[in-house]
């Protein structure tokens, strides 16, 4: 049971480049989310999905796109990378949206935009 | 403003000692409070989830407390081990939607 798998683990991009951060879970979870973690700050929600075909914006969605074509996968696309997007990105999943449902996190993708 | 504050920012203790980490929040409306452990280079892993009616919850050597009246929580680590070296993140969930408010974390270093 792999849990939540993120790839790549590290990435360096030039300003203006685009890329996709991959996230997959094998727990049949309905809810999936993307967060970014910056030094001295708590994780902030970028986008989330409550099921296949359904996505919504979080607190800091600008510059990012998501899609959810399957239950297992929830990729995060950077359209035109900017230095302000240098961060560590975490994908999380949970079985459903009940308030006490446990959330499971991937190991993160460290992105540097130069 | 919905905020979660944690103290201290960092802490160094010797192996075998106890320590307590603090979390204060202003998040409303409150649903539950979670403590996560995040090892360096890894994602957060859940330690405890406490609802409004729970005052104390334990997970091995980790004991979390919650005072919903004063909006304070603490995480007590007993008989610390080297493997306890990590960041500990306090998270408050609102009672609707995907509204999690994360604290900045306390970085704990346990030295031999």
């Amino acid at each position: 049971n792999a849990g939540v798998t993120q790839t790549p683990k590290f990435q360096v991009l030039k300003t203006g480049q685009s890329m996709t951060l991959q996230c997959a879970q094998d727990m049949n979870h309905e809810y999936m989310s993307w967060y970014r973690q910056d030094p001295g700050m708590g994780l902030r929600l970028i986008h989330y999905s409550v099921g296949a075909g359904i996505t919504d914006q979080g607190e800091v969605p600008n510059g990012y796109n998501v899609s959810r074509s399957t239950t297992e996968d929830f990729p995060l696309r950077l359209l035109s990378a900017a230095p302000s997007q240098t961060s560590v990105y975490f994908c999380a999943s949970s079985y459903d949206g009940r308030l006490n449902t446990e959330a499971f996190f991937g190991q993160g993708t460290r992105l540097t935009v130069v | 403003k919905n905020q979660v504050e944690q103290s201290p920012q960092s802490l160094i203790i010797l192996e075998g000692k106890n320590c307590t980490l603090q979390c204060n929040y202003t998040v409303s409306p409150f649903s539950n409070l979670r403590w996560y452990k995040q090892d360096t280079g890894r994602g957060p892993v859940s330690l405890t989830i406490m609802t409004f009616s729970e005052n104390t919850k334990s997970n091995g050597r980790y004991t979390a407390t919650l005072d919903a009246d004063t909006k304070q929580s603490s995480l007590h680590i007993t008989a610390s081990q080297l493997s306890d070296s990590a960041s500990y993140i306090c998270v408050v969930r609102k009672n609707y939607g995907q509204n999690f408010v994360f604290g900045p974390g306390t970085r704990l270093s346990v030295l031999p």
Side-chain angles (χ1 to χ4, degrees):
Chain A
N1 189 342
V4 180
T5 302
Q6 290 184 236
T7 56
K9 195 166 177 63
F10 301 95
Q11 183 70 50
V12 178
L13 287 180
K14 293 182 179 179
T15 298
Q17 286 184 318
S18 63
M19 79 158 293
T20 299
L21 279 62
Q22 302 292 344
C23 175
Q25 52 89 11
D26 61 358
M27 298 175 282
N28 200 31
H29 284 176
E30 288 297 320
Y31 279 60
M32 297 186 74
S33 307
W34 276 103
Y35 294 88
R36 59 178 290 171
Q37 186 176 37
D38 299 298
M41 300 178 67
L43 275 73
R44 292 180 292 168
L45 182 64
I46 305 171
H47 286 284
Y48 66 96
S49 168
V50 301
I54 306 170
T55 63
D56 207 345
Q57 296 181 350
E59 180 185 357
V60 288
N62 293 339
Y64 308 95
N65 273 356
V66 292
S67 60
R68 184 94 181 272
S69 57
T70 67
T71 299
E72 294 77 21
D73 300 298
F74 190 43
L76 177 72
R77 297 184 187 84
L78 280 69
L79 309 174
S80 178
S84 61
Q85 293 179 305
T86 293
S87 187
V88 182
Y89 292 85
F90 288 99
C91 178
S93 75
S94 57
Y95 181 71
D96 56 28
R98 285 177 297 171
L99 293 172
N100 292 345
T101 297
E102 188 58 75
F104 296 86
F105 287 82
Q107 295 199 15
T109 295
R110 181 175 292 274
L111 175 68
T112 302
V113 182
V114 298
Chain B
K1 184 177 179 181
N2 293 297
Q3 285 188 316
V4 175
E5 298 178 343
Q6 293 187 241
S7 61
Q9 186 175 16
S10 61
L11 182 63
I12 300 174
I13 62 174
L14 294 177
E15 186 178 14
K17 298 297 186 181
N18 304 335
C19 67
T20 300
L21 314 180
Q22 300 291 341
C23 173
N24 295 334
Y25 63 92
T26 59
V27 179
S28 180
F30 174 90
S31 172
N32 57 66
L33 185 145
R34 305 161 182 235
W35 282 94
Y36 284 87
K37 178 186 179 188
Q38 184 177 21
D39 292 315
T40 301
R42 308 293 293 267
V45 175
S46 178
L47 295 175
T48 64
I49 299 176
M50 289 187 293
T51 61
F52 185 89
S53 59
E54 296 176 295
N55 299 119
T56 303
K57 203 159 201 179
S58 292
N59 179 359
R61 294 180 297 102
Y62 300 101
T63 299
T65 66
L66 173 64
D67 185 335
D69 292 331
T70 62
K71 297 187 176 182
Q72 295 180 327
S73 176
S74 66
L75 180 69
H76 185 75
I77 303 174
T78 303
S80 60
Q81 300 176 358
L82 298 179
S83 60
D84 292 330
S85 294
S87 287
Y88 292 84
I89 302 173
C90 176
V91 185
V92 177
R93 184 170 189 181
K94 292 184 177 181
N95 67 0
Y96 62 90
Q98 291 295 299
N99 287 287
F100 293 85
V101 184
F102 288 77
T106 291
R107 178 135 204 95
L108 175 66
S109 298
V110 180
L111 303 181

